[in-house]
Amino acid sequence: MTDSKLNLLDLDRKGMEAHVADLGYKPFQGRNLFKWIHKHGADSFDGMTDLAKKLRHQLEETAVIKPPEIVFEQPSLDGTTKWILELEDGQRIETVYIPEEGRGTLCVSSQVGCALDCSFCSTAQQGFNRNLSTAEIIGQVWIAAAELDEDQPLTNVVMMGMGEPLANFDAVVAAMDIMQDDLAYKLSKYRVTLSTSGIVPALKKLGEVSNASLAVSLHAPDNSLRDELVPINRKYPLEMLIPACKAFIEGDRRRKITWEYVMLHDVNDSDRHAKALIRLLEGVPSKINLIPFNPFPGSHYRSSSPERVEAFRMRLKRAGLIATTRKTRGDDIDAACGQLVGKVKDKSKRQLRNMRQGAGR
Ligand code: SAH
């Protein structure tokens, strides 16, 4: 709600139809409205000529189309663009556009901060404040579509920005539905990817309501190391996570799970780890994405050398796995993986705790 007006970016297609029906109009007017907003990027009602005049008037009185506000648009030397967006309560999130040969990927945030505390991620250090609304999530796509030039296609969305998308289930699912809607951004199920640290019950539920693609932040091939790097593993260990992931893609032979694996020097990057990873993923249709660690102030990890990353990758390849190394993009503007921090009014007191620990060192 904005000034007690309804923000129409909060509604998926069905919601829009229902809302328009509530106002006394046929569902197709809702579809038209939905199309104006997401296909044509409208943020006011006057140009919506195929909508009943009275409906337009009613909407003007009761509704808004209000994405987050752009505070800053920051281009990187490699073509990556980062937007810093301010929400109604003054908090800030980040969205990143990453152009590649023939495609363009938008990295979208799902929460203000993150509650999960992965030890190598700078978003974690910011602590957590709240979930984003559907409007604030799809608003990031709306903004990118409006700001990008014709030679900057928006072909993929990854829910890999700030936050744990499965901890904000309903809003994320609604936003991903809009991304895939033919009347909106029309992205296929293979081009909308949710990345999770592995909240197993939510993952099972996701399989029932969404057909988006799945990426999982694995980062370790065994429980003891993963407990340390991705603490949610203590609650949902690998013997729960791996079968849930397998079940997620069952029935679609084109599908694979993308496993994200951040390469940390002398932590998870040895031949022993590669072997354990090969064993762990046996029989799971997989793509492994090795991510060079992006350092940030206060982190005590170091990135594996490029040679180590390549040796690790080759080992996986020789075992028949598909393994790629994610190119670090946008690191000159702190837009790379794990560098997104926004401005979070921390409710978890983690910032304070970290500061105290830092002072005691
Ligand atoms: N919470 C979700 C979505 C975030 S995705 C998840 O965990 O999957 C962001 C990706 O970047 C994750 O795979 C995360 O583990 C990785 N990442 C976090 N910090 C990083 C860093 N400093 N360097 C490289 N990758 C990092």
Side-chain angles (χ1 to χ4, degrees):
M1 300 290 250
T2 308
D3 307 328
S4 80
K5 283 186 175 182
L6 173 69
N7 190 352
L8 295 178
L9 288 177
D10 266 320
L11 304 180
D12 59 11
R13 193 209 293 205
K14 277 214 177 85
M16 199 75 79
E17 286 175 2
H19 180 64
V20 163
D22 280 348
L23 297 174
Y25 296 86
K26 291 260 157 52
F28 83 88
Q29 299 258 337
R31 282 196 291 279
N32 286 351
L33 176 57
F34 185 75
K35 221 161 116 180
W36 274 113
I37 296 173
H38 293 291
K39 219 184 177 87
H40 305 303
D43 60 358
S44 68
F45 304 104
D46 26 297
M48 301 182 176
T49 42
D50 56 358
L51 251 56
K53 221 173 174 176
K54 215 168 127 219
L55 171 59
R56 269 189 275 160
H57 187 69
Q58 260 170 300
L59 288 170
E60 238 148 59
E61 300 285 299
T62 58
V64 288
I65 303 161
K66 197 160 189 272
E69 210 169 291
I70 301 177
V71 181
F72 205 58
E73 177 174 319
Q74 203 170 7
S76 154
L77 292 172
D78 65 16
T80 301
T81 300
K82 177 167 93 171
W83 290 281
I84 299 178
L85 304 176
E86 187 157 299
L87 311 174
E88 295 230 295
D89 57 2
Q91 306 200 72
R92 291 180 181 182
I93 53 164
E94 305 190 347
T95 307
V96 182
Y97 174 76
I98 308 138
E100 282 160 302
E101 201 71 295
R103 64 186 219 168
T105 302
L106 193 69
C107 180
V108 166
S109 294
S110 58
Q111 297 183 310
V112 183
C114 187
L116 288 182
D117 210 10
C118 298
S119 57
F120 52 88
C121 179
S122 67
T123 302
Q125 305 235 321
Q126 297 287 299
F128 173 70
N129 185 274
R130 67 170 174 87
N131 282 332
L132 297 184
S133 64
T134 300
E136 289 165 338
I137 299 169
I138 201 65
Q140 298 171 59
V141 183
W142 190 98
I143 285 174
E147 295 296 312
L148 292 170
D149 295 334
E150 250 158 50
D151 61 345
Q152 295 176 297
L154 202 175
T155 60
N156 296 62
V157 173
V158 292
M159 298 299 308
M160 292 187 187
M162 298 166 67
E164 167 51 51
L166 287 185
N168 183 12
F169 193 87
D170 293 340
V172 165
V173 168
M176 292 197 307
D177 283 349
I178 302 174
M179 294 169 201
Q180 294 184 46
D181 199 301
D182 284 350
L183 300 184
Y185 305 94
K186 218 180 166 177
L187 301 177
S188 88
K189 59 183 176 180
Y190 300 110
R191 290 170 176 268
V192 175
T193 301
L194 180 143
S195 176
T196 180
S197 56
I199 303 183
V200 169
L203 185 56
K204 289 183 178 160
K205 212 168 106 194
L206 184 71
E208 291 161 17
V209 299
S210 170
N211 60 7
S213 298
L214 183 64
V216 176
S217 292
L218 190 60
H219 306 315
D222 62 69
N223 281 324
S224 65
L225 183 56
R226 194 162 191 270
D227 281 352
E228 198 184 301
L229 299 176
V230 186
I232 193 83
N233 192 70
R234 294 174 205 155
K235 201 161 172 197
Y236 306 117
L238 292 170
E239 58 275 20
M240 290 172 77
L241 179 61
I242 303 288
C245 293
K246 263 173 110 167
F248 189 89
I249 55 167
E250 219 167 50
D252 184 346
R253 281 206 263 144
R254 256 187 80 186
R255 281 213 193 262
K256 291 183 172 51
I257 306 282
T258 300
W259 305 99
E260 294 159 281
Y261 195 100
V262 64
M263 295 295 286
L264 303 169
H265 175 72
D266 275 356
V267 174
N268 65 355
D269 64 348
S270 72
D271 277 356
R272 178 175 68 78
H273 295 109
K275 266 195 223 156
L277 188 57
I278 292 162
R279 231 174 301 128
L280 180 72
L281 298 181
E282 216 175 86
V284 188
S286 296
K287 261 188 307 199
I288 300 162
N289 201 200
L290 303 176
I291 315 176
F293 171 67
N294 296 306
F296 53 89
S299 71
H300 58 277
Y301 293 109
R302 280 195 294 144
S303 186
S304 309
S305 70
E307 294 74 29
R308 187 90 280 282
V309 176
E310 186 53 16
F312 197 92
R313 192 180 74 83
M314 285 313 291
R315 193 160 192 116
L316 300 178
K317 265 194 90 173
R318 280 200 301 274
L321 286 159
I322 304 170
T324 53
T325 302
R326 189 179 289 178
K327 250 171 62 194
T328 296
R329 301 289 301 267
D331 54 340
D332 56 333
I333 54 167
D334 285 344
C337 305
Q339 291 185 319
L340 303 184
V341 292
K343 192 175 85 185
V344 180
K345 284 181 209 136
D346 181 21
K347 275 193 177 159
S348 65
K349 302 278 188 297
R350 191 176 304 140
Q351 287 185 26
L352 199 67
R353 225 163 43 231
N354 287 344
M355 256 165 56
R356 288 203 184 116
Q357 273 171 9
R361 244 176 237 147

